[in-house]
Amino acid sequence: MRYAVFLINIFTIFSLFAEKGPNVTLAPEEIQGFDQLSKPVKEILNLALGLTTQSLNYTYGSADPKKGGMDCSGTIYYVLTQAGLEKVPRSSSEQYHWVRKANLFHAVNSTAQDTFELDALKPGDVMFWVGTYDIKRDPPITHVMFYLGRLKKDNQRVMVGASDGRTYNGVQRFGVSVFDFNLPGFPVPSRIQQSSSRFIGYGSVPGLIEK
């Protein structure tokens, strides 16, 4: 409990120093190679990008945009069920096990931006983090997003989902939005102790290509 309060205090302090901005959306044509993606992958990414246009807040426990906000795993769940996939797990931990059981997971141990461990990362993959908040899980999966790909304008890796403070172009966003994907994870000012958030890997959505 003390650890959870400590993390909350860190992020509260961080929010006082960091610039904040509105949710970010992108057009598919701004992403490298979007036209060459498979139809199922295009569908889920278009659904996710559609959510970014609705000014949705980060709302813990919500998987319904009609509530005005969604959480990270709720966004993944909503998009995949809207795309017609069945038996999609609801929580980030369950989604992680879903990908692992299908033998589709790629572990990432490095924090280098050019690590070979990211070579198989492709648009439409689901991405997993541990330690964004304190929870008793094994492993402690606490965050999930979709990988969008690289931007045409600057080659930056980007992802889409729901967050309560990740950044795009160095500006914090709170809600369903596009975000930069950078290792090692959640950035905080150097004068504040680093979060224990850590990106651990990614994988294809089970059954998506066969749908």
Side-chain angles (χ1 to χ4, degrees), residues 76 80 85-89 92-104 126 128 204-208:
I76 302 298
L80 295 181
L85 273 75
E86 299 179 352
K87 299 181 179 179
V88 179
S92 58
S93 179
E94 291 169 335
Q95 290 165 1
Y96 167 78
H97 287 290
W98 186 46
V99 173
R100 286 292 304 271
K101 288 178 181 178
N103 293 318
L104 296 171
V126 279
F128 298 97
S204 301
V205 174
L208 180 66

Side-chain angles (χ1 to χ4, degrees), residues 99-112:
V99 173
R100 286 292 304 271
K101 288 178 181 178
N103 293 318
L104 296 171
F105 184 74
H106 297 268
V108 175
N109 297 304
S110 175
T111 59

Side-chain angles (χ1 to χ4, degrees), residues 24-190:
V24 176
T25 189
L26 291 174
E29 54 266 26
E30 296 180 75
I31 301 166
Q32 295 179 19
F34 191 89
D35 289 344
Q36 283 71 54
L37 300 177
S38 69
K39 184 178 178 180
V41 171
K42 285 182 182 177
E43 183 178 7
I44 64 169
L45 295 185
N46 278 321
L47 283 166
L49 288 171
L51 291 174
T52 67
T53 68
Q54 299 181 35
S55 299
L56 297 171
N57 298 317
Y58 181 87
T59 303
Y60 185 78
S62 173
D64 186 353
K66 293 180 180 178
K67 294 182 179 180
M70 308 169 79
D71 64 18
C72 64
S73 59
T75 302
I76 302 298
Y77 174 84
Y78 177 83
V79 167
L80 295 181
T81 54
Q82 288 294 302
L85 273 75
E86 299 179 352
K87 299 181 179 179
V88 179
R90 171 60 182 87
S91 74
S92 58
S93 179
E94 291 169 335
Q95 290 165 1
Y96 167 78
H97 287 290
W98 186 46
V99 173
R100 286 292 304 271
K101 288 178 181 178
N103 293 318
L104 296 171
F105 184 74
H106 297 268
V108 175
N109 297 304
S110 175
T111 59
Q113 298 295 330
D114 60 351
T115 174
F116 73 92
E117 293 174 324
L118 294 176
D119 287 352
L121 180 62
K122 60 188 182 301
D125 283 354
V126 279
M127 313 167 74
F128 298 97
W129 285 258
V130 297
T132 52
Y133 59 89
D134 188 32
I135 194 165
K136 301 301 181 184
R137 289 175 182 166
D138 185 18
I141 305 297
T142 54
H143 191 60
V144 60
M145 283 201 177
F146 285 118
Y147 182 59
L148 275 175
R150 290 183 181 269
L151 295 177
K152 289 181 179 178
K153 65 178 182 180
D154 59 8
N155 206 42
Q156 169 64 41
R157 289 191 183 101
V158 287
M159 55 192 183
V160 61
S163 174
D164 57 350
R166 290 185 182 272
T167 62
Y168 180 81
N169 279 348
V171 178
Q172 278 189 292
R173 319 288 170 166
F174 294 83
V176 182
S177 177
V178 173
F179 301 89
D180 290 327
F181 171 55
N182 293 308
L183 293 176
F186 201 113
V188 299
S190 59

Side-chain angles (χ1 to χ4, degrees), residues 186-201:
F186 201 113
V188 299
S190 59
R191 59 182 173 277
I192 300 174
Q193 182 173 340
Q194 292 290 319
S195 158
S196 60
S197 171
R198 183 170 63 86
F199 178 68
I200 65 162

